[in-house]
Amino acid sequence: MATAATTTSVIPGIAAHGKIVKITCKRNMRVIIRRDYGNTPDVPVRTENHPSPPKQSASNRQPAQPHTRQPVENAIQHELAQARFIAGDLADHMFGHLVPTDIAKDILKQFIADGIVEIYESSSKTPNKPLDPKSKRVRKALAAAFKDARAHGCIRSDSDAVMAETQSVQADKKQGKGKKSKKQDNPYSWRWRDFPREPIGEDKLVTFLNDITDRALEVAKPRLDSNCKVRNRFAAPEDKYHGVPLSYEPDGEDMRPDFLVLPVKAFSPDFKTVYSEYVNFTALRAVGESKNKDFASGLDQVHRYARGIRRAQPWVHFVVALTVTRSRLALVRGDGSGTERLELALSDGRGCIELIRILLGIALAEGEDLGQSSEVKLDAKERSCKVSKAKAPPPPKEPPRAEGHYRESKATTSSSQLHFAPASLSTHDTSQP
């Protein structure tokens, strides 16, 4: 993947050199553990005599090509065939220079002391009661989580390459992810006290994400670099019935992410109001989707949103997206060559450390850390745009009228039907029918 330090793609080198590949970057080295073969469609061999048909391309619009949700998702599946990779070190690679692993661990330690994160032990006499934050078992669980996170971190020097690669593979085997590994039960279960329960509402989730980010910044501020400041913040679309507009016509495609990452200038000084001119795909820094259980569907949707950002912001080096469920989180980074993905369990100690790093890293990230080009400056311009509107549920069926009642007139029938918003509507004009 391209990083903030370079604009070159490195994914093609992965496909040519096998399963575990070292990637040299400006700051560090990386080890891509394995390719993601899940849900990979059967893609025909592409040759000069048999090129890929235009209808299978999701990036370049063809005449008469439908761009509604299902055709786009099907085309993206073909484009990402053999180009999706599981990267256990993605969070450290993207945000490790802003939030090192030891700082994220210390933040988690403070969260445990404050009761924000609770640890349960299945083998204890009271498995439904959280462990005492000052107990020896909590210190042991935190040390194991920190060791696991370090094992999956980036390689910081050439001499550490073989050791880090071995530790990462061994850590995956302990969690039952290796091919020849034996599944071992983790005695500790981690829970976020204020994480929204099912169903996961967008507003509640965004409140949780921003609250954890603010608390983490308060704990880590004395140890962070003096140049670190909050540059981005999570937001939920205020309009729940219309898609978020692209910079041009969306071709009937319904695009409404559950939560967004916007620059702080998109918010009022108290962060309670989001300025509507920034709620569009030209100004987004990252997108996210929340699901109760359907993790795979969430990934498909953020791939589509990432494509929307690439269409509206062709200058970006890569796109960042998140998928959140009740028990799992995925960080996705994609460019024109493919995607990298980090999957985390929210009930795991390492998952808690990486969640803190991801949230605080996104908040502190400069434009280049999220794929933006420093040579492109945006200006706000207000205009109308056609957006998709969610269909209202059908009205309840009325019981049959008693015999002898008059038949409802045609004019009355037509006036009682549902009214839909006009075709041209401002994104936040919720006063319309």
Side-chain angles (χ1 to χ4, degrees):
M1 284 300 186
T3 69
T6 177
T7 60
T8 59
S9 293
V10 297
I11 286 294
I14 296 176
H17 292 89
K19 291 181 71 175
I20 300 179
V21 181
K22 301 172 186 176
I23 303 176
T24 305
C25 298
K26 184 175 181 180
R27 288 192 298 266
N28 47 44
M29 295 182 61
R30 304 191 57 205
V31 173
I32 302 297
I33 301 301
R34 62 190 186 278
R35 190 193 302 271
D36 174 26
Y37 291 101
N39 299 324
T40 301
D42 295 329
V43 181
V45 177
R46 301 178 183 183
T47 63
E48 293 183 0
N49 296 329
H50 299 86
S52 175
K55 66 179 180 179
Q56 297 294 349
S57 174
S59 300
N60 301 311
R61 188 177 189 274
Q62 302 294 328
Q65 177 180 344
H67 267 217
T68 51
R69 174 175 176 174
Q70 196 58 50
V72 169
E73 288 188 356
N74 291 340
I76 290 176
Q77 288 287 343
H78 280 264
E79 284 201 0
L80 292 181
Q82 310 296 320
R84 294 178 296 180
F85 296 86
I86 305 296
D89 64 344
L90 183 58
D92 189 22
H93 183 247
M94 291 184 63
F95 307 118
H97 63 293
L98 296 170
V99 188
T101 308
D102 57 337
I103 292 183
K105 184 260 296 184
D106 291 341
I107 295 173
L108 179 58
K109 182 179 179 180
Q110 185 61 47
F111 282 2
I112 296 172
D114 296 340
I116 300 173
V117 176
E118 299 172 338
I119 304 178
Y120 297 79
E121 187 177 14
S122 58
S123 60
S124 66
K125 296 180 180 179
T126 55
N128 295 326
K129 183 179 179 181
L131 299 176
D132 183 358
K134 298 181 180 179
S135 66
K136 183 178 179 180
R137 288 177 292 179
V138 167
R139 293 196 297 271
K140 182 179 178 181
L142 184 60
F146 178 61
K147 182 178 179 180
D148 192 13
R150 293 263 303 182
H152 286 86
C154 284
I155 303 170
R156 300 301 175 184
S157 63
D158 293 351
S159 60
D160 296 335
V162 177
M163 180 63 67
E165 179 180 319
T166 303
Q167 290 177 348
S168 180
V169 174
Q170 289 177 349
D172 279 344
K173 286 184 177 181
K174 288 182 179 180
Q175 295 181 0
K177 297 178 182 178
K179 289 185 177 180
K180 299 181 180 180
S181 64
K182 294 182 179 180
K183 183 71 175 181
Q184 295 187 3
D185 294 332
N186 187 350
Y188 301 107
S189 176
W190 302 63
R191 300 181 190 176
W192 291 86
R193 182 189 63 194
D194 298 328
F195 188 84
R197 306 304 176 190
E198 188 177 355
I200 300 179
E202 299 97 325
D203 295 327
K204 292 182 178 180
L205 178 61
V206 166
T207 299
F208 170 79
L209 298 178
N210 284 328
D211 183 61
I212 294 301
T213 302
D214 295 340
R215 290 174 181 267
L217 181 61
E218 184 179 353
V219 176
K221 199 169 185 178
R223 298 177 56 183
L224 294 177
D225 188 270
S226 58
N227 294 327
C228 286
K229 61 180 181 180
V230 176
R231 297 182 174 90
N232 308 287
R233 196 167 177 84
F234 293 94
E238 181 181 349
D239 188 343
K240 308 298 184 185
Y241 301 100
H242 295 85
V244 176
L246 297 168
S247 59
Y248 48 86
E249 297 299 333
D251 302 315
E253 185 181 358
D254 182 10
M255 301 272 283
R256 196 191 67 82
D258 285 340
F259 59 94
L260 323 167
V261 175
L262 297 170
V264 291
K265 61 184 178 181
F267 298 83
S268 61
D270 58 0
F271 295 120
K272 293 183 178 180
T273 303
V274 181
Y275 301 134
S276 60
E277 58 264 31
Y278 286 92
V279 185
N280 61 78
F281 273 77
T282 309
L284 297 185
R285 293 292 178 264
V287 289
E289 185 71 16
S290 62
K291 296 289 184 182
N292 291 320
K293 297 180 180 179
D294 197 348
F295 188 75
S297 175
L299 287 176
D300 289 340
Q301 286 184 247
V302 296
H303 286 156
R304 192 161 50 91
Y305 302 152
R307 166 188 172 272
I309 294 180
R310 290 274 297 183
R311 293 179 72 196
Q313 304 180 44
W315 56 84
V316 297
H317 303 317
F318 56 85
V319 181
V320 180
L322 293 169
T323 297
V324 182
T325 68
R326 288 187 303 163
S327 59
R328 300 169 68 185
L329 177 140
L331 172 66
V332 180
R333 180 174 66 176
D335 62 8
S337 302
T339 64
E340 289 178 280
R341 183 171 80 249
L342 168 65
E343 294 185 9
L344 300 169
L346 298 179
S347 60
D348 179 71
R350 178 200 166 208
C352 294
I353 290 178
E354 296 294 5
L355 176 62
I356 292 171
R357 191 210 302 271
I358 291 171
L359 297 184
L360 187 55
I362 288 177
L364 301 177
E366 298 189 43
E368 290 85 350
D369 297 320
L370 297 178
Q372 295 293 315
S373 172
S374 59
E375 299 178 357
V376 176
K377 302 298 181 182
L378 299 181
D379 192 15
K381 183 179 180 181
E382 185 176 356
R383 70 184 183 95
S384 298
C385 178
K386 293 181 180 179
V387 293
S388 301
K389 183 180 187 300
K391 293 183 179 179
K397 294 183 179 180
E398 296 183 0
R401 295 182 180 276
E403 188 175 350
H405 282 201
Y406 63 87
R407 181 175 296 178
E408 188 177 16
S409 68
K410 186 175 182 180
T412 307
T413 302
S414 92
S415 64
S416 64
Q417 292 176 347
L418 292 176
H419 291 273
F420 292 95
S424 180
L425 187 66
S426 178
T427 310
H428 281 273
D429 188 5
T430 55
S431 62
Q432 295 290 337

